[in-house]
Structure formats: C-alpha cells, structure tokens
Amino acid sequence: MTLRQSTSLSSLSSLSRDNYSPNSHYTRNNLLPGQWKSRSIDRNMEGDLPEDNIQRHSSQSNKNKSERGSGNKKKTKKKHLITANLSGTRYEVVRQMVEKLGYSVSKEDDWGAYLIWNDSFVSFDRISDLKSYQRMNHFPGMGEITRKDSLARNILRLQKVFPNEYDFIPKTWILPSDYNLLLGHARELKSKKKQRTFIVKPSNGAQGHGISLYRNAEKIMQSEHTIVQEYIDKPLLLDGFKFDLRVYVLVTSCDPLRIFLLNDGLVRLCTERYIPPNDSNVGRLYMHLTNYSINKHSETYEKSMGVDTGSKRSIQYLNEYLRRNHHDVNKLWTDISEMIVKTMIAAEPHVLHAYRMCRPGQSTAGDSVCFEILGFDFMVDRKCRPWLIEINRSPSFGTDEKIDYDIKSALVEDTLKLLNIKISDKRRNLANQKAEAQKRLFRTTKKGDGSDMTELQRKQQNIAKKKEELKEQLNKVRKATTREDYENRNLGRFRRIFPSDDRLRQERYCNLMTTAFATMLSGRNNNMQKEIERTYNNRLREEDILDQIEQCEADEKDGRLFPSHRPPRAPKPLTSMPENLPTVSNDDEDDSDDDSIIKRPHSRSRPQSSHHRSNSEKTQNQRPGSNTSLQRSRSLTRVVGNNKTTSRNGLDENVLSNIVRDKEDELTRKTLTALNEMRIKFPGKSDSEADNLLDRLHENMKFHKPRIANYWLVKLDSIKRRKVIDIVRSNVRAVLQRIWKCSDIDSLRIYRIFSRVFNRLLWSHGQGLWNCFASIGNTWETIFSKSSDSINEYELYCCRRIVQLCKDCLLIVYQFATEAKSAPQSNSDTEQDSQPPNLQRNGYGYVTSRDKPPASWNPQTFSQRYSKLYQNKVEGMT
Ligand code: ADP
C-alpha cells in the first residue's frame, strides 16, 4: 500500500527571503538597551527603534569620546583604539556591542582592523592575510558541518565507529549517492507494514527553502543534491505547537579547540497546532517547519510580549516549563552540550587542516585569528531526547523582538569579551615578527658550521635545542593557563564545554577526536594522534616542563650529554652510576643521607639497618614544622599559581583555607601511614622472604651494583622502565583514591607532587632512580626547591617513601628477572665465582648465571611478566 503525497513546501517558504535583505527593517533598526520598557510595542510592531535614534546614540557616544579627550588634542589623536571593521555585517546589534566595549568602528577598507565581522563566509586568502593580532568571525573548513550533506557525511562516518556516541541525528541519506539505500529502507518498511514520513532538504539550503515532506520514500527523486531524513513525528510540544531550539555556540580557537555554550537561546514555535503528519497535512509548513523566516508570515504569528507567550521564547523559559512538567532538564543540557562537542570533534580534522593551511607556522600558543558563533538547531522529541537538525554558520543577529535583542546582544558582548582583544596585541605582533626574522637570520648564518663540530659540541647543541623546545612548551603552557584564567573570569553567560573539566569525559572526547582524525587521514595519523594526546589528554604541567629544563641544565653542567632522542645502546659507563652505595649500618640515629631517613616499615621484625628504619618512626621523632627547610613554601622562584579561594557562604576565607589545609594535612598523614604499610611483593614469596631478599641485596650491593645498573639503565627500554615505576604508581593511586575518596586523582595536589617524583625517577633514561642508590641519593628533592608549589613535610615524607618503594621495586624486579633468567640453568656451574659469596652461603644459590642468559630468555618481557604478577598480588592489599 503506497501512500500519496509529496507536497513541496518551497513555494511558500520562498516568502521568507527578505530576511537576508540588507534593507530589511528588523536588521537595520534596533533597540538600545533598556529601550523596550519605555516604548509601546503596539506603536511599532517590529519593535525597532527609528533609525535616527541609533544615529543619535552613536554621535552621542562619539561626542562623549571627543569631549573626554578635548583637554589634550594631541593626545586624543595619538590615542589608539581597538578598531572594528563592520562593513561586512548588516546587524546593528554587533555595532552597538562593539561601541559599548569602546572599540572604534573603522572604515570599510580598513583591513588592518583588530576585529573584522562578516555575515557571510570569507575566502581562505583573506584569512591567510590576517595579521596575528586580528580576529575574524569565521573559520575556514567549518562548511564541513554547516552544509547539510557534509554534516551528515561526517557524522555518519563516525557513527560507523561509535554507533552509541553519534546517534543524535535522525536517520539520514545523502542523495544521489545513498538513493539505493533509501529505497531499500523504504521497501523494508513496506514489508513490515510500517509507515514513516521523510523530510527532504536541499544540501546547501537555509531558512526552510525547498523543503518537502514525503509519506512514501519511493517517490523521492534520485538526481537532486538533497538529504533525506526520517521525520521526527513525535516532537515535544509547547502549548500544542512544535518547536525547535536555537542554541548559540562560540568557538574561540581550533588549534587547540575551545568551545563555549551560551546559557540562553531561542525557542522557535510553529504557528499552527501540531498534528502528526498525514496525507492531508504534509504540505502545511506552519505546522511542520519551525523556521522564524517562514512563521513570521503566518497570520497567527505572535510577537513575544512576555516570557511565557509568543512564537519565540527563551531557552530559560523552556527549561522552567520542562522542570514544571517533570522532565530532566540537566540531562537534556548535558546531552546537548555533548552533542555539540561531538559534532565539533567531527569537524575538527577539517577545520584544523584548513586553518593550518591558511596560517602556516602560526604558534598554537598565540591567539586564534578566527572565531565563530554557530547556531545549532535542535529538536526535542516526546521523550525529551534532543536531536541535532542543523548548524548555521551565519546565525541571524536580527533583533526585531525584545527577546532577540536580550539574547543576541548578550551573545555578541560576551563573545567580544572572551576574545580578549587588546590594544597591545598589535605591538606584540610586530615585536614577534621582528624576533622571528632575526631568528631566521641567525639560523642561516649558522648553517654550514655543523661539519666542524666535535661530538661534544653536537651533543651540547642537541641539549640546547631540547631546552629551546621545552621553553617553547613552557611558554605555551603558561599562555594556556593565563588564557584559561582570563576565560574563567570573563565567561559572562557562556560556559566552556570543551575542553571539559570532567577528566573522564575529556578522555572520551580525546578518544573520539583521535578516531575522527584517523578516519579523515585514513590511518596516517600517527603524529596527529600523539599531538591530540599531548594537547587534550595529558596536558603537560608547568612543573613537569620546568623539571625537564632543570634536567637539561644539569646535563649541560655535568657533561651528561646524551643524544636527544635515543637512549644509549651500549652499557653506560660506570661513571654515570653511583660510586657509593648507602652505607649498611645498624645505627638508627644515622640519618645523614636520604636512604637513612627513608626507612622500611616493620623494621623490628627484621635485621635493623638504617636503611630499613620505619618512616613513621622518623615522623614521630621529628615534630612537624621542626625542620624549617621542609616547611611549606620551600621556594617560590617559579611563577606562582593563581590559587584564589572564594568563600561562597560568607565564611572568612582564611578560616576556610585553614580548615581545608587541616583536612589536607590529615589526609596526607593517613596517606603516609598507608604508604609505610605498603610492601613490594615478590611473586611466590612471603613478605618476610621478600624483606630478607632485599636485605641480602643491600648487603651485597657492591656485587649487584653494576648488574642492577646494567639491567635498569641499559637492558630495560624506556617503556619497561616506566612499567617498573608504574607498579608503584598504580598502587599509590589506589591508596589516594581510598583515602582522599576522589575519583579524579590527577586533580589532587598531592598526586601532582607524587607525579613529579615519578617523573624525576624516570629522568634521563632512568638515571633519576639510579641516582637514589648513591650516597647523595636525595638529589631528587631539588625538584621542589625551585618549585612554585610549596610542599610540607608530610608530603615530603610521602615522596621519600615513594622513592624507597620504587628502589625496592627495582631491586625486586631485578632479582625476579635474575632468578627467571637463571632458573633453567640452575645446575650450571658457569661463572660460579662471580656470585656474591653470601648469596651462596645463605642458600640463594639460584643466582647462577648472570651474563649469559639462556636462549629462551627474553629480557624485554620479564619486567612485564613481573609487573603482572605483582599487580595480582597487590590488588587485594591496597
Ligand atoms: P533550513 O536550514 O532550511 O532551515 P532545517 O534542516 O533547519 O533546514 O529544517 C527546517 C525545519 O524543518 C526545522 O527547523 C524543523 O522544524 C524541520 N525539520 C527539519 N528536519 C526535521 C526532521 N528530521 N524531523 C522533523 N522536523 C524537521
């Protein structure tokens, strides 16, 4: 049974074209803030002000400006203003907000203006020509989500990989290519005796032009460039009318991506009561299409007179309405903001590619020259589930009703504030250009000198290069922090939805982004993938980079000059290993070096060595605060973070921060106790056996030292070394999770501190941990001496305990590996002489062969194997 009806709505929808006319009454004449209360809507149905009112306002503001400067004419002339070229926009509200912020509107041909605002998209060339202090309100490549067919293509591509994440557009077919799929779907529906309505839209259409509804998909023409969608036939209704949401989204940068969502928007209602589509009503566009450009021509169109009436309402009003009707508004907006981010992620590979083509070499640390306000249109179905319908890259800033003015003026004003355009940007741009030119010059003069360089000079150059890169990274991180601080203080009515503050969500987004790039680059995305991870997932912290810079400097000083990219292949010379081992002593009082301060717990049940004295004992002996060098604020030579606390409920900030600090101190003490109780397990051995084994290793360290060094510094590659440290790290995380009752461990200050210690131990291909075996093994503590982060003594004890655990862990992994290696040859008498005598004497005779592993032995796998065993053991413990 085939149903008739394929009524075209295009003839009626063409009525709306005047929306784009520059002479349109509602785009030229606008309200001034506060004007609505004093004017009668009846007198002027469009709600506009007479044009001369605006002119008067502009000339008044100009007059004020000139009056202000009249005292010193010369000064006024010289005074620079942020200039805005608005010749490309017909919207008064943009001009008004620009003036409100004190910018000066420049002439049509001022292409050097700080701000250039265009209603329509501009060419790539124009974007390429922009100076880095300028801002233009469009991104190249955004057409990938603002054209209907491209949006569908990009979403459907990711839908194949993530069917559950990208399920927010109605079923869509892109014609002509998907025509057969569409027919197949229609036939399937027919065979199941199901009836669906389809909506057909021109691929590059707008304002409802050329849209038709079909009750029978087989009647849809194949040849046209259109998209076909399943019609959402059970929409949520407002007073019996179908509606859609216009949600405003600001993208301030694509490199890296930053997205903001306005906390208000428009709800646009149809003007004829909704009846689900049937053969006789599919042509009634006032019932099925929510476009303002169509419905404003309806006789029943109602101008919004208050918050709860009219054909246009605010999203704030809708939220209230939904709450009253027991819908989950929070979920609705979480869903919508996720959909926006996911859509932008689908666009990002294209936008970033186009942007980088236009702006080759532009540093990601700098401000983006492009920004864009996008109008996302959503429909909501009866289950309050949002559906993305389309995205507009030139949403209307027409303000013929008060509600338009209220929302759009806020949108433009807050956008301009977030852009943070500064008069000094131009000067800085010139200075940067100069510096770049000098750098280039310097590079060319240096060329050709490489052949004369000695090995040492080349290494020095490598280190200098690495340092330069790190400084650049540091610059980026600092700029990003400053930008974020600025954003947080100037969000206005926006909220940032990407990057997300929710770590898990951000990780999910990062995963989607990686796949989006992989899909676009057909798998050739190795570098891109790393870049995405670096940018969005593992955001480098200032301290980490500063640590690395310090390490470079230390390398420079000490002459530890490794090639910058590869760890050395050959065994490291013994000079790079600790000369002295911690003195094995029974003297409990001897805490002159780091190792004697860090004690292993349960020392009473084991032979007492200074090495094994309990940390908690030490803590008891030393009252907090007694060691001034360890108190908070060890050094503040770095840029101090902006850790302002604001009291929300009127409590004195000092009191509040004292309470927080006390609580933190208490949790830190608990963490220390838990760390002291933590043991490194040896697979298949009891705790005391493992302890004994560690004692033996320490006692015979002279013998083991070169072997452990060889194992740690040479045999293990960086991944394996990290795995050894991760054995401790993952358990420390578990402890923190338990004690601090926090799922986002990475956001904890204490974990950030620990993280720096772990990084330090992995420093210089594992040299960091190896240095801890030396008599001056506490040099890692210098990472805190130049840090902006203060560290209190309990935190320091925790760090010391962690270092101790990592040392134990290395010893046990080494021992495990050695045993595994020698097990098949336990009867062999090769190299018996090289065994430490006491190992043999004490029955540890399984260490038989160290230098010639059996053929079956693979040094690459044992730490992995060990870590698995260890993880299994330790899980129940922590
Ligand atoms: P245009 O860019 O021409 O406005 P849209 O895709 O926004 O095209 O569609 C116009 C209107 O048609 C929407 O505002 C909405 O009311 C209605 N519409 C579009 N797609 C659907 C759909 N899949 N289901 C129900 N209504 C739809």
Side-chain angles (χ1 to χ4, degrees):
M1 184 181 64
T2 326
L3 281 165
R4 194 184 50 87
Q5 215 62 338
S6 55
T7 309
S8 169
L9 309 177
S10 53
S11 54
L12 281 163
S13 58
S14 62
L15 280 171
S16 62
R17 258 177 222 144
D18 61 348
N19 197 22
Y20 273 111
S21 153
N23 294 323
S24 165
H25 47 271
Y26 60 87
T27 54
R28 282 181 66 80
N29 302 331
N30 280 278
L31 285 174
L32 295 175
Q35 205 80 31
W36 275 93
K37 282 171 201 145
S38 58
R39 291 189 63 86
S40 150
I41 305 283
D42 291 339
R43 251 185 347 167
N44 179 352
M45 279 306 284
E46 291 300 323
D48 294 341
L49 282 180
E51 205 161 301
D52 62 344
N53 243 359
I54 295 165
Q55 281 163 358
R56 228 179 296 133
H57 168 77
S58 311
S59 55
Q60 185 64 33
S61 66
N62 288 340
K63 205 174 143 201
N64 287 346
K65 270 177 220 154
S66 59
E67 270 169 11
R68 251 179 275 136
S70 63
N72 188 342
K73 230 179 180 182
K74 260 189 185 170
K75 251 190 189 172
T76 319
K77 264 194 178 170
K78 274 188 184 171
K79 192 182 166 195
H80 296 291
L81 283 176
I82 294 173
T83 47
N85 183 339
L86 305 182
S87 58
T89 178
R90 59 184 179 279
Y91 296 118
E92 266 313 312
V93 73
V94 177
R95 182 180 303 271
Q96 286 176 13
M97 292 307 114
V98 157
E99 286 180 347
K100 188 176 174 189
L101 293 187
Y103 302 178
S104 97
V105 178
S106 58
K107 286 191 214 135
E108 264 183 37
D109 58 353
D110 178 12
W111 298 118
Y114 285 76
L115 174 70
I116 299 177
W117 196 293
N118 255 297
D119 292 344
S120 52
F121 176 61
V122 292
S123 69
F124 280 29
D125 286 348
R126 286 272 299 279
I127 294 175
S128 303
D129 289 345
L130 291 173
K131 301 273 186 300
S132 60
Y133 68 88
Q134 291 186 281
R135 305 285 207 290
M136 165 94 73
N137 68 324
H138 292 289
F139 277 99
M142 205 56 99
E144 288 290 330
I145 50 168
T146 54
R147 260 186 73 108
K148 292 184 177 62
D149 53 351
S150 308
L151 172 69
R153 194 170 300 115
N154 285 311
I155 298 286
L156 293 177
R157 226 181 252 165
L158 286 175
Q159 202 176 64
K160 281 190 190 135
V161 194
F162 300 107
N164 296 330
E165 299 275 8
Y166 282 89
D167 60 349
F168 50 82
I169 59 167
K171 246 189 205 132
T172 305
W173 295 265
I174 304 165
L175 299 195
S177 56
D178 290 347
Y179 189 68
N180 287 336
L181 291 175
L182 175 68
L183 286 188
H185 181 72
R187 283 186 205 120
E188 200 184 317
L189 285 175
K190 210 166 161 187
S191 69
K192 289 180 183 166
K193 297 202 165 39
K194 278 187 182 168
Q195 175 72 62
R196 288 275 187 282
T197 305
F198 296 88
I199 185 165
V200 182
K201 316 184 227 183
S203 292
N204 202 17
Q207 299 182 357
H209 291 298
I211 293 182
S212 327
L213 297 192
Y214 284 78
R215 297 279 284 159
N216 179 3
E218 285 168 325
K219 296 214 167 152
I220 296 169
M221 302 281 282
Q222 179 181 10
S223 58
E224 289 170 72
H225 283 277
T226 48
I227 67 154
V228 180
Q229 268 182 352
E230 254 184 22
Y231 187 73
I232 299 167
D233 56 2
K234 292 187 184 76
L236 191 70
L237 303 180
L238 201 56
D239 301 341
F241 297 99
K242 175 177 170 175
F243 66 90
D244 76 352
L245 307 180
R246 162 56 57 87
V247 176
Y248 294 103
V249 172
L250 168 67
V251 182
T252 55
S253 155
C254 71
D255 193 6
L257 187 59
R258 297 188 86 75
I259 313 172
F260 301 84
L261 170 63
L262 194 78
N263 72 3
D264 209 347
L266 291 170
V267 181
R268 300 167 308 185
L269 282 80
C270 280
T271 43
E272 193 176 334
R273 282 183 186 282
Y274 183 77
I275 298 170
N278 58 41
D279 289 350
S280 59
N281 75 12
V282 282
R284 306 181 83 136
L285 72 166
Y286 294 147
M287 178 188 285
H288 293 293
L289 304 191
T290 48
N291 303 65
Y292 167 70
S293 50
I294 290 175
N295 283 284
K296 70 176 179 177
H297 297 288
S298 163
E299 281 178 3
T300 49
Y301 184 84
E302 237 185 275
K303 286 222 166 214
S304 114
M305 309 287 283
V307 287
D308 51 356
T309 58
S311 301
K312 249 187 222 175
R313 300 185 199 176
S314 73
I315 281 178
Q316 294 296 349
Y317 163 77
L318 178 77
N319 288 344
E320 271 311 305
Y321 172 88
L322 294 177
R323 261 182 221 117
R324 277 200 309 275
N325 288 283
H326 313 293
H327 289 290
D328 188 345
V329 175
N330 281 348
K331 181 171 183 321
L332 174 71
W333 286 99
T334 307
D335 288 350
I336 287 180
S337 68
E338 284 216 353
M339 288 173 186
I340 292 167
V341 173
K342 287 175 196 169
T343 308
M344 290 308 307
I345 284 174
E348 176 66 2
H350 307 277
V351 177
L352 184 69
H353 176 73
Y355 185 78
R356 286 190 175 172
M357 292 282 280
C358 289
R359 315 282 309 165
Q362 173 160 343
S363 158
T364 49
D367 289 317
S368 166
V369 295
C370 296
F371 69 96
E372 191 137 11
I373 296 175
L374 296 165
F376 276 68
D377 292 347
F378 288 95
M379 277 191 60
V380 184
D381 69 17
R382 239 166 246 184
K383 291 180 181 162
C384 207
R385 179 182 170 173
W387 295 89
L388 175 64
I389 299 297
E390 74 150 347
I391 302 162
N392 294 276
R393 75 180 325 185
S394 295
S396 163
F397 288 100
T399 51
D400 39 346
E401 292 178 46
K402 179 179 185 298
I403 190 170
D404 288 314
Y405 188 83
D406 287 348
I407 292 169
K408 293 171 189 176
S409 60
L411 170 65
V412 176
E413 185 182 354
D414 288 348
T415 296
L416 294 178
K417 283 183 183 163
L418 262 182
L419 291 181
N420 191 19
I421 305 173
K422 294 185 293 302
I423 199 86
S424 56
D425 290 350
K426 197 171 186 171
R427 220 181 318 117
R428 199 170 322 122
N429 170 250
L430 282 174
N432 284 348
Q433 268 179 355
K434 234 181 191 173
E436 271 298 312
Q438 269 171 357
K439 227 183 194 175
R440 275 199 298 273
L441 208 68
F442 178 70
R443 252 183 245 143
T444 29
T445 45
K446 276 248 157 188
K447 236 182 188 176
D449 291 350
S451 56
D452 313 334
M453 267 195 259
T454 64
E455 182 68 6
L456 185 74
Q457 282 169 329
R458 206 164 292 132
K459 283 172 181 174
Q460 269 169 338
Q461 203 187 43
N462 278 342
I463 290 198
K465 204 170 137 200
K466 172 124 198 255
K467 220 165 99 180
E468 230 11 75
E469 284 168 9
L470 285 168
K471 278 184 184 167
E472 219 165 274
Q473 265 182 349
L474 184 68
N475 187 24
K476 264 191 211 176
V477 169
R478 282 186 170 161
K479 278 203 171 151
T481 313
T482 315
R483 184 191 304 168
E484 207 162 302
D485 278 351
Y486 176 84
E487 280 173 6
N488 292 341
R489 282 181 278 112
N490 293 277
L491 281 172
R493 280 142 281 198
F494 279 114
R495 72 186 163 93
R496 193 178 55 234
I497 54 172
F498 187 91
S500 167
D501 292 332
D502 178 333
R503 193 176 166 81
L504 290 179
R505 182 172 289 150
Q506 183 61 18
E507 272 173 19
R508 197 154 50 84
Y509 287 157
C510 187
N511 185 25
L512 298 179
M513 179 95 83
T514 317
T515 309
F517 274 94
T519 315
M520 186 185 138
L521 301 170
S522 325
R524 291 172 282 116
N525 74 328
N526 270 354
N527 287 339
M528 213 31 151
Q529 193 164 333
K530 276 185 207 147
E531 192 183 327
I532 294 166
E533 286 282 329
R534 238 190 350 256
T535 314
Y536 300 113
N537 225 6
N538 310 317
R539 281 182 56 193
L540 269 180
R541 291 177 204 280
E542 190 180 326
E543 292 87 4
D544 297 337
I545 302 174
L546 283 166
D547 287 348
Q548 287 182 39
I549 291 176
E550 264 171 38
Q551 285 154 20
C552 275
E553 281 164 359
D555 277 355
E556 268 172 345
K557 268 187 213 145
D558 301 355
R560 277 195 295 263
L561 303 169
F562 299 118
S564 58
H565 302 303
R566 279 175 298 127
R569 280 167 188 240
K572 287 193 180 222
L574 279 176
T575 46
S576 70
M577 298 169 188
E579 285 303 305
N580 302 312
L581 297 165
T583 329
V584 180
S585 154
N586 286 334
D587 183 3
D588 269 7
E589 302 310 312
D590 178 13
D591 47 28
S592 58
D593 66 42
D594 176 51
D595 291 76
S596 61
I597 293 176
I598 305 293
K599 310 298 175 193
R600 286 182 56 81
H602 303 319
S603 53
R604 266 171 240 107
S605 62
R606 305 171 50 245
Q608 293 281 312
S609 72
S610 70
H611 177 79
H612 293 138
R613 202 179 66 175
S614 128
N615 206 353
S616 47
E617 279 171 47
K618 178 74 197 169
T619 312
Q620 279 160 15
N621 293 343
Q622 254 186 334
R623 277 194 326 108
S626 60
N627 185 346
T628 45
S629 70
L630 305 179
Q631 284 170 15
R632 251 174 229 283
S633 229
R634 280 167 70 85
S635 169
L636 299 173
T637 51
R638 300 181 191 205
V639 177
V640 182
N642 190 359
N643 296 329
K644 279 180 211 146
T645 48
T646 39
S647 156
R648 288 198 182 161
N649 46 13
L651 269 179
D652 184 301
E653 281 193 19
N654 285 339
V655 176
L656 208 69
S657 68
N658 280 344
I659 295 171
V660 172
R661 195 173 305 165
D662 286 350
K663 185 70 196 164
E664 273 181 8
D665 285 348
E666 186 197 324
L667 293 175
T668 307
R669 280 196 293 273
K670 280 189 183 164
T671 306
L672 178 60
T673 311
L675 290 176
N676 282 332
E677 280 162 7
M678 201 186 263
R679 285 291 168 294
I680 306 293
K681 289 217 174 246
F682 192 108
K685 291 195 199 311
S686 68
D687 278 357
S688 60
E689 279 175 328
D691 280 344
N692 281 335
L693 194 143
L694 282 170
D695 282 346
R696 294 291 152 257
L697 282 170
H698 281 290
E699 279 163 19
N700 295 290
M701 193 49 98
K702 232 181 195 148
F703 169 82
H704 290 292
K705 184 180 77 173
R707 286 158 184 81
I708 297 169
N710 189 44
Y711 174 66
W712 175 245
L713 296 172
V714 182
K715 279 190 176 164
L716 294 190
D717 61 18
S718 60
I719 296 167
K720 300 282 180 302
R721 272 193 293 264
R722 189 169 287 278
K723 279 190 173 165
V724 173
I725 297 294
D726 280 350
I727 291 171
V728 179
R729 193 201 297 261
S730 57
N731 287 284
V732 168
R733 287 176 70 94
V735 163
L736 290 178
Q737 220 151 17
R738 180 163 53 81
I739 293 173
W740 293 69
K741 299 201 180 2
C742 169
S743 57
D744 186 12
I745 294 302
D746 304 74
S747 66
L748 285 180
R749 177 193 130 78
I750 193 163
Y751 183 69
R752 291 216 306 274
I753 292 172
F754 294 171
S755 208
R756 297 179 61 196
V757 174
F758 287 125
N759 288 346
R760 176 66 176 210
L761 299 183
L762 289 167
W763 160 61
S764 194
H765 319 295
Q767 191 73 43
L769 177 58
W770 186 239
N771 285 353
C772 297
F773 284 86
S775 58
I776 41 145
N778 56 355
T779 52
W780 59 268
E781 289 180 22
T782 55
I783 57 174
F784 299 115
S785 64
K786 288 186 188 168
S787 170
S788 59
D789 248 347
S790 54
I791 168 170
N792 68 31
E793 61 180 335
Y794 284 117
E795 287 165 344
L796 186 72
Y797 286 137
C798 287
C799 292
R800 289 178 174 185
R801 176 66 190 145
I802 283 173
V803 170
Q804 182 59 48
L805 284 167
C806 288
K807 285 169 69 181
D808 287 355
C809 192
L810 168 58
L811 293 180
I812 286 196
V813 172
Y814 156 78
Q815 182 63 29
F816 181 83
T818 313
E819 285 182 22
K821 189 168 76 168
S822 57
Q825 295 192 359
S826 54
N827 295 330
S828 162
D829 56 3
T830 45
E831 298 186 52
Q832 284 291 314
D833 294 345
S834 63
Q835 287 180 51
N838 55 343
L839 281 190
Q840 288 172 327
R841 203 173 48 239
N842 291 306
Y844 288 84
Y846 44 75
V847 186
T848 51
S849 167
R850 290 165 205 89
D851 299 326
K852 286 182 193 159
S856 61
W857 172 242
N858 175 5
Q860 300 301 310
T861 55
F862 52 61
S863 70
Q864 226 171 356
R865 195 148 34 111
Y866 175 81
S867 90
K868 269 188 201 144
L869 283 166
Y870 177 80
Q871 299 286 14
N872 291 341
K873 279 246 161 203
V874 93
E875 257 161 30
M877 189 188 79
T878 48

